[in-house]
Amino acid sequence: MQAMNRLALTIAGRRVVQPFYVRNLRVSARTHSESIPDVSPPTANHCDALPPQPTKKNTSNVTRKKTKAATKQSKRTGGQKTPPEKISGDSGFTRDTWNGDWGKDELAPPSSKKRRAGSKRRPRKENVSANSQASSSRALPPHRIPYVRRTEGYISDDTEKCTTVLRDVESPSEHKPIAQLAHGLDRVLFNPGIYWLRDPRSRIYNFTPWLESIPSVTDFAFERVTGFVKSSMDNDLWKVAKQHKRPFAGSTSSLTGLLSHCYFLISGDKDVDTSSLSRGFSHQPTNFTPGQRMPTSVVLNHKEGVWLIDSDKTEELAEKNVLTWMGTMLEKFLTVSEGEFKKLLRSSPVSEEDADTRREAYRYAMSDRFVMRSQLDCVDSRLPGTGVFDIKTRAALPIRLDILNYEENSGYLIKSLTGPLESFEREYYDLIRSAFLKYSFQARIGNMDGVLVAYHNTARIFGFQYVSLEEMEERLYGSGNGTRIFNKCVSLLERVLSDAVSIYGERSVRCTFETRELSQELNVWIQPVEWDDEAEGKPCPITELDVRVTNFLDGKEVKGSKAVADGRGCGCYSDYTYEGCYSSPTASHAGVAQWTLTEAALDQTDIQRRLEAARERQFTALSFPAGITTLEEMEKVWAKIDFGGKHSAQEMMAAMTQLASQPAASEGQSEDVDDAVGATPTSSFPSAFLTFREPDKSIRQLRQLAQQGREKTLREEAEGREKVVWGSVDGWRDAQMRREEGDCAVLGGGTLPTGTDDRSASAELDGIVVSVGDGDGDEGELVADRDDSVTPAPEKPSGV
């Protein structure tokens, strides 16, 4: 009896308890089961319906027949109510038939017509087929079509090959020989980890002390060295692309940003590997820095069927950046002798005999649709491969974050190998997140073995480190194959640019690339560089392309991070036809990247709004230098900043000193200044997104560390301690080629002073006591001691 009282109805997908009188009817009318129709609804069984209750065998069949009859009757009447009928017998009950009208469904979602007009929901990117839409129980909302056209293809790995997609192309003109390291710095190339310039504990110099003090950037005559040549101004680059029928050509400076955003898309925002660092960095972020993920803008300059790619950066902003000029100067500082470097200073007269009009050494390489150019900084034949490597000068943390205050921040010191601040480890950690991806792509384009990093604070060099390409890619990809990843990025970039230039025909266009973090989509905005509204009859149009990538391993879809970390074969080919791909993802390939490119079906207002939002993420926020608190003061300093020689160095430094000597902000000013609060947009400056702001708490703390470091340096200099050097004679060969001054002797050509014993000798070089010995130590070892005695050379300092 209790089991029958728990009967329930399942109607329209809902479980409804039967009315009390119905349950009583079933209980009291067992003997009249043949005359009582079943009250079950005329629908199929649902998963949450109760199982049928046990009844007598002679009545169950009759009940099922009555149910079928009731179902047919309901279909004929269309769910309308029928007049009640008297139940035969003496029970006195009236039979109630099925009623299909349950009223309005209060839980149903609102229709698409009631949605807000300003909904920010993005259009669907998937192409829903007609069959799947028709079979769906709920129709898609009537929103706009997500795209006007769609192209897709595959980029597959060939496990039998392991070669890069780039092939060398001979340079059309003669160039200078590739430079070599000077001052014995070649020892850094074959010793992993950090190489201190001066050991902080013993104060022993591993190289000539002349390298420790960096000349002022305003004293260097940049007009005496060959400057950077943009892709659009490189006639040799255009000739190579035209000769080999390649539609795109560019340099590493303009291509690495585009390749980086292609990598972000393919890798699915894979984090970097910082497991090699100490425990203090185990909880630090492992994603790429905002500066590394900043949208990249380029200009594709069309010239007779070839698009030459230039970086679309404000040139004046680069001219105001001291690090732009510092890198050029330090390359010469590390690769020429002291005497040759002094000829490049403004204090030295110009010599026409030393002028070399030949081009800098470049490597030209081509892929299926690209010709790429890379400047070759330095070479050492003992390194693997070509022996070519790049020279990178890395400014310390406060210099990078507070660039306008670089003079005050030049007191910041690197004191230890490890630690969260004032350490090489902190600089290496920042390199992994902000520079290794760009460095690795540059090394791949130039077919280089690695990069030599010089850590400095614009006034002093602390040490050197050689980072091979394998080490950089291990930090980026883990166990992934760097060649395979680079090939995929190049192939995807070729596909995207080919589609971008086809929109407006053979004309120059401006493109902005951005892969926002966690978006899994690459957005590309294209607009013509030159456009006449009156002649064209409409405003300058903007087109948005959306690119997505799906990764497969052995025929199974996987995340991008897993596909990148897969260390199997490399070699890459891709399809460039609009009809489709001649290859499909199969288990014979180690990895396949399926790309989908769509042209967004948005109106010009929405596209313009999205492009402006991307450009706002390119803005540069600079902190006011010390002693400057107003925009008017900053404008005066900004006008005087010129490291290229247009204004005299004395004039520029006088302006900085004058404003820095003014009293700072009042003591009542808030200590915690938010990034947004106090930021002053400056439309009068060259970039609409250039912003100046008061230094926040972290910047003020770094400035305090820099001040403490400067005080420590002054105390050490006041001690008057003699400089002790450890190194090889050959490393000193160029650095010590100088004329005799006073009582200082000259040691040149790697030879010992005459009239001395073959096994040991000593001399005084610019006040530095130096001893040379080839007895028990290695040949050509150079040591110095305070008491003029020959001592064993100290051990080399260990690296990170």
Side-chain angles (χ1 to χ4, degrees), residues 610-626:
R610 289 166 58 84
L611 175 58
E612 290 178 356
R615 287 177 175 174
E616 288 179 358
R617 290 187 285 272
Q618 291 179 314
F619 84 102
T620 303
L622 303 178
S623 298
F624 284 129

Side-chain angles (χ1 to χ4, degrees), residues 84-127:
E85 300 177 0
K86 286 288 185 177
I87 301 177
S88 58
D90 298 333
S91 62
F93 290 101
T94 301
R95 182 175 58 190
D96 192 4
T97 58
W98 166 252
N99 181 13
D101 184 12
W102 287 83
K104 182 179 178 181
D105 189 358
E106 298 294 343
L107 299 179
S111 63
S112 59
K113 296 181 180 180
K114 294 183 180 181
R115 292 181 179 177
R116 294 182 300 174
S119 176
K120 297 183 179 180
R121 181 178 179 181
R122 300 183 66 181
R124 296 170 62 94
K125 298 298 180 182
E126 298 82 2
N127 184 14

Side-chain angles (χ1 to χ4, degrees), residues 249 341 425 442 592:
F341 183 82
E425 187 180 32
Q442 291 176 349
V592 175

Side-chain angles (χ1 to χ4, degrees), residues 580-591:
C581 179
Y582 59 78
S583 176
S584 59
T586 61
S588 61
H589 298 111

